[in-house]
Amino acid sequence: MKLVVVGCGSMGSHLALALARGGHLVSVIDSDPSARARLGSSFGGKFISGVAIDLGILAEAGIDAADGLAAVTGSDETNLAVAMLARKRFRVPKVIARVFEPGKMVGYRAAGIHVVCPPAWGFRVIGDILTNPARDVAATFGHGEVQVVALAVGESRPGLVLSEVTSPPDIIAVALVRNGVALVPPPGFGLEPGDILYVRVPEPARGTFDRMVRGLGV
């Protein structure tokens, strides 16, 4: 794929390097020429120094043939302006913008722009880990609306059955790891100490799930 990354800070440089390692053709735009150093000598893509809303700079980056663009500078205004330009003028199929203000997400999603807002989901994950130390958030989806939670089965609950921990259709077991081997357990599966159970928990069911886990003493 031909991809454009706007912003070569910590996130942008790591993203560009990962995409390039994956075999994609990557062009990076940053207003600071010295940002090129973050990509290192092994980066095989293109680096363009300039303002990303400049049509000439975007053309140099190959925007006309791009399959996707990610705007990940430190400025919400820049990211959203570039994303709108890529989506509306150049019809880039997939456009992603990082924003720091959650209130800016809705309008841009309606315009067909994927919006990533770390503060919107980060505080939820941190809060969950702080207030529920017995479990760990293994993965989040969207902005934290759905989580996959890892539960470690302890010695205190011999004879525990999977259906005691899950409550379909909202709370569903995704996988169980026993002695390093993963499987998808059926509802009546017996849990053993040392098992790691991964459970999908949507936000509306999170309170019910937490109360259930505390009551079971997993």
Side-chain angles (χ1 to χ4, degrees):
M1 297 177 71
K2 296 179 180 179
L3 304 170
V4 179
V5 176
V6 178
C8 195
S10 179
M11 177 179 281
S13 59
H14 282 86
L15 174 62
L17 289 168
L19 292 171
R21 284 195 296 269
H24 301 288
L25 300 176
V26 184
S27 294
V28 180
I29 302 172
D30 198 284
S31 58
D32 180 6
S34 66
R36 172 64 179 83
R38 296 191 180 98
L39 298 170
S41 58
S42 63
F43 178 65
K46 181 186 291 186
F47 178 86
I48 302 104
S49 176
V51 179
I53 57 173
D54 184 303
L55 299 184
I57 293 296
L58 288 171
E60 188 179 348
I63 191 73
D64 289 313
D67 298 298
L69 177 143
V72 292
T73 76
S75 165
D76 282 3
E77 289 70 26
T78 297
N79 292 341
L80 295 172
V82 172
M84 287 296 287
L85 195 58
R87 186 68 179 162
K88 297 299 183 181
R89 184 182 181 102
F90 295 99
R91 305 295 181 187
V92 176
K94 182 167 288 187
V95 177
I96 303 171
R98 178 178 67 171
V99 299
F100 295 93
E101 292 293 333
K104 297 177 180 177
M105 295 190 296
V106 177
Y108 288 94
R109 282 179 171 171
I113 296 170
H114 297 267
V115 181
V116 176
C117 184
W121 56 262
F123 80 89
R124 293 179 182 176
V125 174
I126 293 170
D128 279 345
I129 293 172
L130 285 173
T131 58
N132 298 280
R135 65 178 173 89
D136 188 18
V137 179
T140 64
F141 299 91
H143 297 283
E145 296 88 355
V146 177
Q147 294 181 348
V148 173
V149 174
L151 286 176
V153 180
E155 299 283 348
S156 61
R157 279 311 308 262
L160 188 67
V161 176
L162 178 64
S163 57
E164 296 180 68
V165 183
T166 58
S167 179
D170 294 330
I171 302 169
I172 298 174
V174 175
L176 182 138
V177 177
R178 175 175 293 174
N179 299 323
V181 178
L183 59 107
V184 179
F189 192 84
L191 303 179
E192 298 179 358
D195 286 348
I196 305 295
L197 178 65
Y198 293 88
V199 183
R200 187 203 74 181
V201 186
E203 187 171 27
R206 206 160 295 161
T208 300
F209 178 75
D210 289 339
R211 288 190 294 271
M212 183 166 55
V213 170
R214 285 196 295 269
L216 290 170
V218 177

